[in-house]
Amino acid sequence: MLHLSSHERYYFYNEVVDMRKGCYGLCGIVQNELKKNILLGDVFVFINKRHNQIKLLQWDRDGFALYEKRLEKGTFERPGTNQNSTDILLTHLQLQHILQGIVLKSVQHKKRYTTLV
């Protein structure tokens, strides 16, 4: 079961990915292109060219966890992106909306108190 937590960091890879890649192929993207340490436990999100397949990769204390979802109909939305960046930091709510098919621009949040960490 996939659990999205506000305590995790979610990085969306802003390039098209060949979905034939497994854990180690996606690990190579994280280390060589994003220059991030996969062993910190961050979640990395990858999407294919047709936007109908998504993969989430995370190091889970003693091994890799790979979540994959392929849509039979429809597409995943890519978050509003800065074209110069290869990765975008998402919130757990944004990722949840992407996975559920909610249009990100239509989401409106009311102001809430937050503490700066």
Side-chain angles (χ1 to χ4, degrees):
M1 171 139 221
L2 180 66
H3 174 73
L4 302 178
S5 166
S6 62
H7 301 291
E8 305 289 339
R9 287 184 298 202
Y10 301 92
Y11 291 99
F12 182 86
Y13 181 60
N14 194 21
E15 299 288 332
V16 172
V17 175
D18 179 355
M19 286 295 138
R20 294 175 291 183
K21 289 185 184 292
C23 293
Y24 299 111
L26 295 174
C27 246
I29 292 174
V30 170
Q31 293 174 334
N32 298 326
E33 295 185 34
L34 297 178
K35 307 295 187 206
K36 305 253 186 239
N37 184 354
I38 189 72
L39 301 178
L40 295 178
D42 298 330
V43 179
F44 296 91
V45 182
F46 305 92
I47 196 166
N48 69 339
K49 186 176 183 178
R50 295 187 304 187
H51 301 176
N52 68 343
Q53 200 170 358
I54 197 166
K55 286 188 178 186
L56 282 63
L57 177 67
Q58 180 183 29
W59 176 257
D60 187 22
R61 292 186 301 261
D62 58 357
F64 288 106
L66 184 64
Y67 174 83
E68 179 178 359
K69 184 172 183 178
R70 180 178 177 182
L71 299 175
E72 295 300 319
K73 185 176 181 181
T75 59
F76 292 107
E77 180 179 356
R78 294 177 75 90
T81 61
N82 177 359
Q83 298 300 326
N84 297 332
S85 177
T86 56
D87 65 329
I88 300 161
L89 190 58
L90 299 175
T91 67
H92 70 290
L93 291 174
Q94 287 173 314
L95 180 54
Q96 185 175 13
H97 294 323
I98 290 169
L99 292 172
Q100 292 177 347
I102 297 171
V103 178
L104 296 176
K105 292 178 185 173
S106 70
V107 176
Q108 296 180 357
H109 296 281
K110 294 188 179 235
K111 281 191 174 185
R112 297 286 190 252
Y113 175 79
T114 59
T115 58
L116 299 176
V117 179

